[in-house]
Amino acid sequence: MAKLNPNYRKLSAGYLFPEIARRVREYSAEHPDQTIYRLGIGNTTEPLTPTILQGLHDRVTALGERGTYTGYGDEQGEAELRDALVAYYAQRGVTLDPGEMFVSDGAKADAANIQNLFAQGSVMAIQNPAYPVYVDSNVVAGRTGEYDAAAGAYAGLRLLEGSPDNGWFAAPPGPEQDEQLDVVYLCSPNNPTGAVATREQLQAWVDYARQHRAVIIFDAAYAEFIADPELPRSIYEIEGARECAIELTSFSKFSGFTGVRLGWAVVPYALRTEDSEQGELNRMWNRRQSTFFNGASNIAQSGGVAALSEAGQRESRALVAYYMENARIIRSALRELGLDVTGGDNAPYLWVRTPTGPDGQPLGSWDFFDQLLREAQVVVTPGAGFGSAGEGYVRFSAFGHRENIEAAVQSIRGKLRLPER
Ligand SMILES: *Cc1c(COP(=O)(O)O)cnc(C)c1O
């Protein structure tokens, strides 16, 4: 008799984005003539740039000819792309080896799969709020107990609470806390808060991890949105990180590859756990990828090589600049209305505190979501969907066509009824 994996039943309240879609559908059905402005899902909207298109086209052409056709490639990624990734890190003074690069079909799957490297009893620490895959993959892998709605947490998971006081980036446990975390997920620039860890904040985590032989899973999917040269874009810019950190990153947000699909993980040779030798985790991830994954699309990989060329990077930076101008437009409009906005200066997300409701209390995330939808027809993402610490906030995404961003902002300015200041 087959039995299902009971851990799926622990997943709380379904997935966030289907619930948003349901509410929008319901509203649209009641108001079929209203235009809806979507500032919710973090999905790119602007077309691929010429250099990248050329790379993709050339590979398609090559696949159509007997002399240049290729089938399965290396599971770790094509050598040309791994070399280009090494050169990309070298631009920032970070020296890595092609054997430490694992090309994938995106950072989300890597983020879900990476926990598989660690012992079942490991203490997993995850930022609150966070991109949902870190929590959900650990739930499905059976590393947690049930969801405790009152606590807003799964039994057995350690949450690193974000708040305005710590700039939405919790510090590691101090020496007086003497707490052992084994695997720590950090995302910077952060989805959903738009917060970026400073060099000092990351150094504190790297120091903690080295001292406690913990491993940091560093999600750098938005690294290229960092404009401030003082802020680290890779955890390997931090002294000692190679011994204790895996970096996950992606072409999705930098080069508009959300639909093309391409990312990479860095698993350094120097990385170790308490019970492993140097190089063992790198070999384990290689074994895992070789067994469970047949490599990223070769067409996508040629697109990635093109994206990392000098022209490709220049064009990708222009794409990022376009979205960051959107962020600036949204931020200045929301601030003019008196809303409390953070993020959006080194990340494509703005994190907005909900205004006061009729009863004088701050609105809940979903209440402000509903108000924005009903009054201004603007769809955002409720902060509570990213974890209990996101309650009282919503996320605005800066991905969108400029004219839609401007129309959304105008609708908010004209129609949203906020309490008197
Ligand atoms: C968008 C995003 C990713 C990228 O996922 P892909 O699978 O590479 O498209 C990874 N992490 C975070 C936090 C993201 O928001």
Side-chain angles (χ1 to χ4, degrees):
M1 243 187 318
K3 291 206 174 73
L4 52 71
N5 174 352
N7 297 314
Y8 275 87
R9 291 197 169 138
K10 294 179 190 163
L11 290 175
S12 65
Y15 191 49
L16 169 64
F17 292 106
E19 174 60 18
I20 293 173
R22 191 189 66 74
R23 292 190 189 208
V24 174
R25 258 196 324 274
E26 195 177 286
Y27 176 80
S28 291
E30 291 161 22
H31 305 86
D33 47 345
Q34 292 277 23
T35 306
I36 308 279
Y37 305 103
R38 292 174 197 276
L39 301 184
I41 297 184
N43 198 357
T44 50
T45 57
E46 300 313 297
L48 296 173
T49 65
T51 300
I52 292 169
L53 273 183
Q54 194 60 52
L56 294 167
H57 280 309
D58 289 350
R59 189 60 181 269
V60 171
T61 304
L63 288 174
E65 287 164 24
R66 203 171 193 187
T68 48
Y69 171 81
T70 52
Y72 289 128
D74 293 341
E75 290 90 350
Q76 303 79 3
E78 298 187 338
E80 195 183 359
L81 178 55
R82 287 192 284 155
D83 289 345
L85 287 169
V86 167
Y88 169 73
Y89 279 103
Q91 286 171 222
R92 301 180 226 153
V94 172
T95 308
L96 291 164
D97 185 86
E100 300 176 307
M101 301 288 160
F102 294 88
V103 174
S104 71
D105 59 1
K108 192 183 204 172
D110 285 345
N113 295 330
I114 202 79
Q115 44 81 25
N116 175 266
L117 287 176
F118 304 99
Q120 197 67 13
S122 307
V123 177
M124 312 303 270
I126 298 176
Q127 291 173 294
N128 183 17
Y131 188 52
V133 66
Y134 317 136
V135 169
D136 287 5
S137 59
N138 279 290
V139 172
V140 168
R143 296 174 181 279
T144 73
E146 298 292 332
Y147 185 69
D148 175 349
Y154 287 93
L157 268 194
R158 170 70 159 82
L159 295 181
L160 305 168
E161 302 292 338
S163 71
D165 297 334
N166 60 22
W168 300 97
F169 204 90
E176 69 292 350
Q177 285 160 282
D178 192 30
E179 187 187 0
Q180 177 66 42
L181 309 178
D182 298 322
V183 179
V184 180
Y185 291 75
L186 300 176
C187 176
S188 173
N190 192 271
N191 180 7
T193 65
V196 185
T198 62
R199 208 163 276 282
E200 294 68 32
Q201 285 173 314
L202 282 191
Q203 188 70 61
W205 273 110
V206 166
D207 292 345
Y208 174 88
R210 289 170 81 191
Q211 210 169 358
H212 294 79
R213 280 257 175 262
V215 172
I216 297 169
I217 311 295
F218 188 72
D219 185 336
Y222 297 96
E224 288 292 342
F225 288 76
I226 295 178
D228 182 343
E230 295 303 312
L231 294 170
R233 296 183 187 187
S234 164
I235 195 154
Y236 305 116
E237 293 176 39
I238 306 301
E239 174 74 33
R242 235 169 263 271
E243 291 165 34
C244 64
I246 291 173
E247 182 160 291
L248 308 180
T249 187
S250 171
F251 288 89
S252 284
K253 313 301 170 19
F254 181 34
S255 302
F257 274 37
T258 40
V260 176
R261 312 299 309 137
L262 193 67
W264 73 95
V266 184
V267 185
Y269 298 132
L271 178 72
R272 350 176 358 193
T273 51
E274 177 191 9
D275 57 351
S276 67
E277 311 162 7
Q278 282 202 356
E280 200 172 346
L281 280 158
N282 174 282
R283 289 196 300 277
M284 267 170 69
W285 190 244
N286 194 17
R287 179 76 168 80
R288 193 259 167 217
Q289 291 298 80
S290 308
T291 313
F292 296 167
F293 183 60
N294 255 338
S297 149
N298 48 20
I299 300 169
Q301 292 190 65
S302 287
V305 170
L308 294 176
S309 70
E310 206 182 310
Q313 288 194 46
R314 194 177 341 106
E315 292 167 15
S316 295
R317 295 216 168 85
L319 274 180
V320 166
Y322 179 93
Y323 295 126
M324 292 310 288
E325 173 63 11
N326 287 348
R328 194 197 58 75
I329 291 168
I330 300 168
R331 184 178 48 227
S332 72
L334 297 180
R335 284 204 177 139
E336 254 174 56
L337 293 172
L339 288 165
D340 174 357
V341 186
T342 55
D345 32 24
N346 293 287
Y349 297 117
L350 299 111
W351 190 237
V352 181
R353 200 194 280 261
T354 61
T356 322
D359 60 357
Q361 297 298 314
L363 286 178
S365 284
W366 281 104
D367 295 330
F368 191 41
F369 168 91
D370 285 332
Q371 186 188 357
L372 280 160
L373 175 60
R374 292 182 175 275
E375 291 181 6
Q377 292 74 53
V378 171
V379 182
V380 296
T381 312
F386 298 101
S388 54
E391 182 52 87
Y393 291 82
V394 299
R395 185 192 77 174
F396 280 72
S397 161
F399 292 111
H401 298 316
R402 180 68 42 79
E403 61 275 21
N404 290 350
I405 299 286
E406 280 168 347
V409 158
Q410 198 179 343
S411 181
I412 291 173
R413 277 206 176 103
K415 298 200 256 177
L416 187 68
R417 293 189 300 276
L418 291 172
E420 297 291 324
R421 276 189 283 162

